[in-house]
Amino acid sequence: MRTDAVGRTGGQPVRGGPVRGDGRALPRRTAVAITAGVLLGLCTIDGSHVWVERPSVWHGAAAVLGFAGIMGLQLVHSFPGFIPRLGRYRYATWALLGLLSYAPIAVFGAAWGGMTEFFAASAVLVFPAALGWPLFACAVAGEFVLFHQLRFGAGEFVYGGIEAVLIPLVVIGLSRMSDMIDRLHASREELSRLAVAGERLRFARDLHDVLGFSLSVISLKCELAHRLLVDAPGTAQAEVAEVLRTARKALADVRSVSRGYRQMSLSDEANAAVSMLSAAGIDTTVRHRCGELPAAVDTVLAAVLGEGLTNMLRHSRAERCVITTERGGGVAVLVLGNDGVGRGRATKPEPGSGLAALDSRLRELGGSLTHGADGRGWFRLRAVVPLRQEAVAPDADGRGRRTAGGDRRRAARVGHTDVMPGAASAITLAVLVGYFLAYSAEGWSYAPYAHGLPTVELCLLGCLALQLAESFHRRFSWGPRWRGRVRFGALGLQALLQFVPFWVFGKEWAGLPGFLAGSALLALPAPLAWPVLVLVTAAGAGAQYAVGVPVPDVIYEAAYTPICAVVVFGLTRMAQLAAELHRSRAEIARLAVTSERLRFARDLHDLLGFSLSAITLKCELVRRLAPTRPVQARHELTEVLGIVRDALADVRAVAGGSRPMCLTAEAEHAMAMLTGAGIHATVRLDCGELPGDVETVLATMVREGLTNMLRHSRPARCEITAVRTAGAVRLTLVNDGAQAGRCPERAERLAGGSGIGNLTTRVEAVNGRLTAGPRPDGRFELRADVALLLA
């Protein structure tokens, strides 16, 4: 049994502070190394007690094997992955650990008593908490029975009792905290994944709200123009002009959504609806009596109006439409009615429909959505949203959320990890207080302390207070001020409290040298901290020897000081890291969402930009062809309808994730597009089979390059070439739109456009390089060189 420094095993965690940016994070391997080092130190100290008993050779060999077995089994219990096969038999290994902990006491007596503490610690690590902690209590009670059988004195009994709880807590803390850190890392990844999934759903919902109406209008008007081209070419041209305006508005809306902070206006949507529905031949009446609405309510009602109009155009042949908005009784109400044939069979949105998504958004704000036929030939869509501001908290996109319910749901989703920082701090606090009590009990056992005990306790309390300040300063508002001179001053004061009392109390004073060494590890840079630990250990041993402490006790204290320091260091660092990981989860999720938004923006620009530009180009062509060549104009309108369908597929692909693209298919599509626009196109692809990510990037480059070309220049010829060289592939897009006399200023804009920036990011991501600019012959070239990694 450790007779003198039981509680002095309170070491210190490894340095981990990612928030501080000092690069001293605490990986799992380091946590395992600290735990193994502490276990080895404890076994070595107890082994010294056995050696003092002068055992026989056979008994000594058996003791070494016993210590090795206990340490190995404890590591298996602390880290189940240490020896995975043994982890399957953890209950049997716990029983074996109990046998190795108690049976040798019959031979070695109190010298082996410290090993029973590992048996108590493993009860918590092996069994579920509901059974583990009662078994822990039984094991501790068994140690008290053992103390009684070994006839411990009163002081030894108290001291041994504190150690019986303290040492298992140290082992449990070091073992569990590394697992806590792993779980916190996993929870951060899961939270990021959920945040990205939520953002993707939000983005898909916005795309549906924004583009659904616009693409429906484009499709409707193209079909109408297709029918009118032969009989009423003038009317058909007017409808095509409306398609052009709608396509430009859709492109602006796409850019707004891609930024992630789109805020819609109910009044603006209503005004836009009047012009669009009137152009479609639908008599529209708007009664807007809501006034100014909160941003979240205004946005969601505007989305409801857009979705309702989309469904009306898709699923009915209405001739009249009435849009009514009003407020009163603490709610805002939107009613959209039409005299067409609507979906009058249900008042509850169908799962997966746009109205179902809007119903979910309204319920988040405490509102409701109903729709159906009124029995008089009219279809009515009614949305009600409360205006209670205290119930709504604005979201990042201006949409809003119910604070109470949303927070409760979020807490339920990640609440199991919320307790980890608190549990880590509680374990650290319990160990530090346990060391204080152990050293206090050691002091109480000395008769000379009777007259000076209050002063001794004040000194020990001062050491504890300074250690608590060092270990937990990051959790309090004054933490940022605990640095520099203040921190080093506290370390100096801790040194004074450790060494000055030797002059007053002599050999009866031991102090808390592990706290001082542990604080040095926490406060000082690594190149200085470890030498200071050695210095504190040597100074403490020298002071004890100078005041007359027996040499065996000096050696014992010198061995225990670094163990205590490492435990304090390890537990503190792991508790700090657990808190920092917990605090950083929201930031990690925010960064993940930001990254996903950037991907959305790039994909929208690259995919839908091309489609909407192609729609614009072909509609302009239709306007020119309608008076003289109506048959060809009808053919172009048919292609526009195909592009609209492709655009909707692209919307779903962007919202769902990355979309693989085929370079050959994209080049063929580009060839048809350019030929239809009267541009002489040449395509030569000689690059063979390419990795999927490289082919997608190059196909995107073809699409984006043509989009920019059609927007910013008027070329007569275009060449698309892909060749494969040794270990690389080169794709070039060349057009003569930058030649003198055509549009040189647009070529300058092309080189610096946002599409080129997006493409640069994509090409660099696949180990490539993108260049864009005029060539010596006056033509404009967009070129990508991508290195192909050989398997």
Side-chain angles (χ1 to χ4, degrees):
M1 184 60 181
R2 290 185 276 284
T3 60
D4 195 59
V6 175
R8 304 181 190 178
T9 320
Q12 219 174 344
V14 200
R15 344 200 134 200
V19 171
R20 287 175 51 196
D22 55 8
R24 297 185 295 178
L26 187 69
R28 181 177 179 85
R29 283 182 298 180
T30 307
V32 174
I34 285 179
T35 306
V38 169
L39 295 177
L40 179 61
L42 294 175
C43 289
T44 300
I45 289 177
D46 282 332
S48 67
H49 293 302
V50 172
W51 177 75
V52 168
E53 299 294 328
R54 298 179 181 273
S56 66
V57 174
W58 292 108
H59 284 171
V64 171
L65 291 176
F67 283 128
I70 289 174
M71 183 174 173
L73 290 172
Q74 184 60 61
L75 286 175
V76 168
H77 297 158
S78 295
F79 307 102
F82 182 63
I83 304 179
R85 291 184 179 179
L86 283 181
R88 303 173 189 172
Y89 310 102
R90 57 187 184 279
Y91 300 144
T93 56
W94 182 72
L96 177 59
L97 179 61
L99 181 64
L100 292 176
S101 300
Y102 280 93
I105 295 176
V107 178
F108 302 109
W112 194 270
M115 293 295 97
T116 58
E117 294 149 4
F118 296 130
F119 179 66
S122 290
V124 176
L125 298 173
V126 167
F127 293 93
L131 180 60
W133 286 106
L135 288 176
F136 173 86
C138 291
V140 171
E143 291 197 55
F144 281 99
V145 172
L146 178 63
F147 298 159
H148 177 73
Q149 293 295 324
L150 295 174
R151 302 182 182 278
F152 276 20
E156 288 180 323
F157 196 90
V158 173
Y159 189 76
I162 295 173
E163 182 186 60
V165 177
L166 176 62
I167 300 303
L169 282 180
V170 168
V171 175
I172 293 170
L174 290 172
S175 304
R176 281 284 171 85
M177 280 196 194
S178 61
D179 181 59
M180 284 182 184
I181 291 169
D182 281 351
R183 290 164 60 192
L184 277 170
H185 275 296
S187 76
R188 289 202 310 175
E189 294 173 1
E190 177 67 9
L191 190 63
S192 298
R193 188 189 65 79
L194 291 173
V196 168
E199 182 67 9
R200 187 172 293 157
L201 289 174
R202 184 200 70 78
F203 191 82
R205 188 170 60 196
D206 272 2
L207 283 180
H208 185 278
D209 296 345
V210 172
L211 288 181
F213 178 67
S214 298
L215 293 176
S216 295
V217 169
I218 290 173
S219 178
L220 176 70
K221 288 187 174 296
C222 285
E223 290 176 352
L224 179 60
H226 191 277
R227 293 196 301 270
L228 294 175
L229 267 173
V230 176
D231 299 328
T235 305
Q237 283 182 295
E239 295 297 335
V240 172
E242 189 64 30
V243 169
L244 285 170
R245 287 192 291 272
T246 303
R248 294 188 183 105
K249 180 181 181 298
L251 187 56
D253 285 341
V254 163
R255 289 170 178 163
S256 178
V257 170
S258 69
R259 288 193 293 269
Y261 294 96
R262 182 177 187 273
Q263 182 172 318
M264 301 171 66
S265 167
L266 179 58
S267 60
D268 291 345
E269 288 294 316
N271 293 333
V274 171
S275 62
M276 284 201 175
L277 295 178
S278 298
I282 300 174
D283 181 39
T284 307
T285 303
V286 176
R287 304 187 185 99
H288 185 54
R289 297 188 288 264
C290 268
E292 187 175 353
L293 295 172
V297 176
D298 202 24
T299 297
V300 76
L301 288 181
V304 170
L305 177 58
E307 178 63 26
L309 293 174
T310 299
N311 284 346
M312 182 186 73
L313 291 171
R314 286 178 180 171
H315 304 293
S316 71
R317 296 186 177 181
E319 296 179 354
R320 296 182 59 198
C321 176
V322 178
I323 302 170
T324 305
T325 64
E326 58 186 6
R327 65 189 298 169
V331 298
V333 181
L334 166 68
V335 179
L336 173 63
N338 69 82
D339 62 352
V341 179
R343 289 179 287 182
R345 52 191 169 91
T347 59
K348 184 177 181 181
E350 298 177 0
S353 69
L355 290 176
L358 288 172
D359 180 59
S360 175
R361 288 173 62 177
L362 285 166
R363 282 189 279 106
E364 288 178 4
L365 296 175
S368 62
L369 180 70
T370 56
H371 58 103
D374 62 1
R376 293 178 291 180
W378 277 67
F379 180 88
R380 299 190 187 277
L381 175 71
R382 187 171 188 269
V384 181
V385 186
L387 298 174
R388 297 189 303 272
Q389 291 301 298
E390 66 275 9
V392 178
D395 223 344
D397 57 358
R399 188 172 280 125
R401 59 179 174 85
R402 298 278 294 183
T403 55
D407 289 346
R408 279 196 296 270
R409 286 191 294 272
R410 250 187 307 281
R413 186 166 61 242
V414 298
H416 67 284
T417 63
D418 291 346
V419 301
M420 291 184 186
S425 296
I427 291 173
T428 304
L429 177 63
V431 169
L432 294 179
V433 172
Y435 278 125
F436 164 76
L437 293 176
Y439 279 92
S440 295
E442 181 183 1
W444 300 338
S445 66
Y446 289 103
Y449 273 19
H451 65 282
L453 187 58
T455 306
V456 170
E457 287 302 306
L458 285 175
C459 292
L460 291 175
L461 278 172
C463 293
L464 175 63
L466 290 170
Q467 184 59 60
L468 291 175
E470 176 59 46
S471 295
F472 295 102
H473 67 273
R474 296 187 186 180
R475 296 184 64 87
F476 301 99
S477 59
W478 47 266
R481 297 192 296 273
W482 188 264
R483 60 179 60 185
R485 295 180 180 179
V486 175
R487 197 174 189 186
F488 296 144
L491 187 62
L493 180 58
Q494 200 170 355
L496 291 176
L497 286 175
Q498 172 60 36
F499 291 110
V500 169
F502 278 110
W503 296 347
V504 180
F505 300 105
K507 64 181 180 180
E508 277 74 33
W509 169 261
L512 286 164
F515 280 12
L516 175 59
S519 292
L521 290 178
L522 289 167
L524 301 176
L528 182 60
W530 295 101
V532 169
L533 181 147
V534 175
L535 179 62
V536 169
T537 303
Q544 287 187 315
Y545 181 78
V547 296
V549 174
V551 172
D553 291 341
V554 170
I555 296 174
Y556 181 79
E557 292 287 350
Y560 231 93
T561 295
I563 294 177
C564 178
V566 170
V567 171
V568 173
F569 174 70
L571 290 179
T572 300
R573 276 288 181 236
M574 283 193 280
Q576 290 173 349
L577 183 57
E580 289 162 359
L581 286 172
H582 181 73
R583 285 195 299 268
S584 67
R585 290 185 308 164
E587 179 67 10
I588 293 294
R590 186 190 67 78
L591 292 175
V593 167
T594 300
S595 176
E596 191 69 1
R597 285 179 174 175
L598 291 174
R599 185 191 70 79
F600 289 152
R602 285 199 304 268
D603 287 353
L604 275 177
H605 186 278
D606 297 342
L607 297 174
L608 292 177
F610 178 80
S611 298
L612 293 173
S613 295
I615 290 171
T616 302
L617 177 68
K618 284 189 172 292
C619 287
E620 289 177 348
L621 179 61
V622 168
R623 291 178 65 186
R624 295 197 301 268
L625 294 174
T628 58
R629 302 165 67 181
V631 175
Q632 185 178 348
R634 295 183 71 180
H635 175 72
E636 296 296 336
L637 281 175
T638 302
E639 288 195 7
V640 170
L641 290 171
I643 294 172
V644 171
R645 287 190 289 270
D646 290 342
L648 287 172
D650 287 340
V651 167
R652 289 190 290 270
V654 170
S658 58
R659 175 176 181 260
M661 299 173 64
C662 175
L663 177 59
T664 301
E666 204 60 41
E668 291 174 353
H669 188 219
M671 184 84 169
M673 174 69 64
L674 294 172
T675 301
I679 300 172
H680 180 73
T682 303
V683 176
R684 293 192 299 271
L685 302 181
D686 185 21
C687 53
E689 186 176 353
L690 297 172
D693 55 345
V694 174
E695 184 166 18
T696 296
V697 168
L698 295 182
T700 302
M701 176 180 162
V702 171
R703 177 175 288 201
E704 177 58 27
L706 292 180
T707 300
N708 281 350
M709 182 187 72
L710 294 173
R711 284 181 186 169
H712 303 297
S713 69
R714 295 182 180 275
R717 302 177 63 86
C718 178
E719 297 178 5
I720 302 172
T721 307
V723 295
R724 192 162 187 162
T725 61
V729 61
R730 170 176 292 179
L731 175 67
T732 57
L733 278 72
V734 180
N735 71 83
D736 60 356
Q739 287 182 358
R742 289 192 180 275
C743 199
E745 72 282 358
R746 296 191 181 191
E748 295 300 323
R749 289 204 302 271
L750 173 59
S754 62
I756 297 300
N758 289 338
L759 281 178
T760 300
T761 301
R762 288 177 177 272
V763 172
E764 289 177 350
V766 292
N767 198 31
R769 181 173 177 268
L770 185 78
T771 58
R775 298 202 320 187
D777 60 4
R779 295 190 295 172
F780 186 89
E781 180 183 74
L782 178 67
R783 186 179 72 200
D785 294 284
V786 180
L788 301 177
L789 301 178
L790 300 178

